[in-house]
Amino acid sequence: MKYYSLNHNAPKVSFQEAVIQGLAADKGLYFPESITPLNSDFFKNIENLSNEAIAFEVIQQFVGDEIPTETLKQIIAETLSFDFPTVKVEDSIYALELYHGPTMAFKDVGARFMSRCLGYFNKDKKDNKNTVLVATSGDTGGAVASGFLGVQGVDVVILYPSGKVSDIQERQLTTLGQNIRALEVDGVFDDCQDMVKKAFLDESLKHHKLTSANSINIARWLPQMFYFFFAYKQLKSENKLLVFSCPSGNFGNICAGIMAKKLGLPIEHFVASTNVNDTVPRFLEKGNYDPKPSKATISNAMDVGNPSNFIRIQEMYNNDLEQFRKDFSSYSYTDEETTAAMQTIYKTDGYIAEPHGAVGYLGLKKEMINFPNAIGIFLETAHPIKFLDVVEPALNIKLPIPTQIESVLGKEKVSTKIKTYEELKAFLG
Ligand SMILES: *Cc1c(COP(=O)(O)O)cnc(C)c1O
């Protein structure tokens, strides 16, 4: 499979090159040259297939022959070693829980898949390593640290804003050691992000072979298609239309859902639910794309003013707004509405949703008015424990600590404090 840059000003590359580079030389996101729908037998028989077998069918054409079949199967098995249950919350409303992995956020799947692909591509390299440089506002850092721990030929450097991530999130990215190092930046998330972007453009850092591990990287983005197939497998026997609502920040997840539909998965409608960072809902309403600086909210993993994957979505709809509106809606919610939804879901349904899932629920409920006979599924993208500062007071409960989280709580934080880009360069060496 070849990948082209959505800025159309860089050469086409292989899967391997796209994964290693992250972003094309013209700063465009990579996109697959073709998308071939899966055959109807696959969908007829899907409930008899394991998650691993489904994932292999789904991802195979995008990897091509660049990873041997047995190795790809092994990578998938390691990536998917936990459950993805659909949990009934109300009549016709399900939560697709994506948080049963090692760091308890959905980003585990993409981080694990990408790390193992990079590990495979670097398997024979001794001192010609890749360095994954990543800025995090919370969840990405932990998933990347856990996913890349001990992977051969890859060093990881994570930048996070000092004092702006939760205690659990900080421990997840500062306590692992080995090939994972954490930089605690005196500043906000945007400062971390700016430093990372600058480093990618810096010729004097070329020898580090820097790459990114957020959803601009195809190996982190594409495996997110799996979730939608796993939900379909579980709910197929209900024989109803399916509506998915994704709590959206950088729009990587929902963009993977649209890819799944392109592969033939029968999804009737998508809802992108956002917090007050509402660039996409405004676009759908008004027709012009007008990104704004991000605002801080209680669903902080979605505090994105200019979603990087939106351009991939537009590519799939050939920039045809009318067609796009038929398949896709987008609504935004305030923190007050989000907290009230968490309380309703808990009181009425006995289900504990964290703020991102609650935003997804709100968008879903609104859209279901248009699809009275469908099943609605909202993605629960993180375990409530990751947002305990919000969840516990809102619901007046105490959450038990899951074992995955307990294991990092006792470990000691190791990080290096920096303030300037020069300090980042000095650290990389
Ligand atoms: C990253 C994240 C999101 C947003 O996902 P995108 O693919 O960037 O839209 C939503 N919820 C949680 C908990 C996250 O960590």
Side-chain angles (χ1 to χ4, degrees), residues 201-217:
L201 299 175
D202 192 334
E203 289 290 322
S204 71
L205 293 175
K206 256 206 142 58
H207 59 290
H208 285 293
K209 302 202 342 201
L210 297 177
T211 190
S212 86
N214 52 37
S215 54
I216 61 169
N217 196 301

Side-chain angles (χ1 to χ4, degrees), residues 104-107 138-140 169 215 220-221 224 246-255 299-302 304 307 309 354 356-357 379-383 386-387:
M104 313 210 88
F106 78 87
K107 293 181 171 80
D139 283 337
T140 298
Q169 288 173 330
S215 54
R220 237 209 70 189
W221 166 55
Q224 298 180 1
C246 304
S248 298
N250 254 327
F251 283 64
N253 237 351
I254 196 158
C255 182
S299 48
N300 63 16
M302 310 199 293
V304 181
N309 284 290
E354 53 67 59
H356 304 78
L379 273 48
E380 216 349 327
T381 43
H383 190 287
K386 294 205 79 172
F387 298 94

Side-chain angles (χ1 to χ4, degrees), residues 13-50:
V13 297
S14 63
F15 176 74
Q16 171 168 352
E17 288 166 314
V19 174
I20 290 175
Q21 287 178 27
L23 208 58
D26 63 359
K27 306 292 161 248
L29 269 65
Y30 281 118
F31 197 81
E33 202 174 37
S34 64
I35 302 168
T36 309
L38 301 168
N39 70 40
S40 56
D41 283 348
F42 168 73
F43 291 105
K44 270 192 207 126
N45 190 33
I46 194 166
E47 62 272 38
N48 301 317
L49 299 177
S50 66

Side-chain angles (χ1 to χ4, degrees), residues 243-248 251 254 258 268-274 280-285 310 313 317 321-333 359-360 362-371:
V243 175
F244 278 94
S245 173
C246 304
S248 298
F251 283 64
I254 196 158
I258 298 170
E268 186 63 19
H269 199 79
F270 291 99
V271 185
S273 301
T274 73
V280 173
R282 279 188 289 114
F283 170 75
L284 277 166
E285 203 182 322
F310 195 63
I313 297 178
Y317 282 94
L321 187 57
E322 282 323 300
Q323 197 54 43
F324 183 45
R325 280 188 179 125
K326 280 194 194 125
D327 288 356
F328 192 98
S329 310
S330 189
Y331 308 116
S332 92
Y333 296 95
V359 169
L362 281 168
L364 182 62
K365 287 290 271 192
K366 184 173 165 94
E367 192 62 40
M368 289 303 278
I369 295 167
N370 301 324
F371 295 93

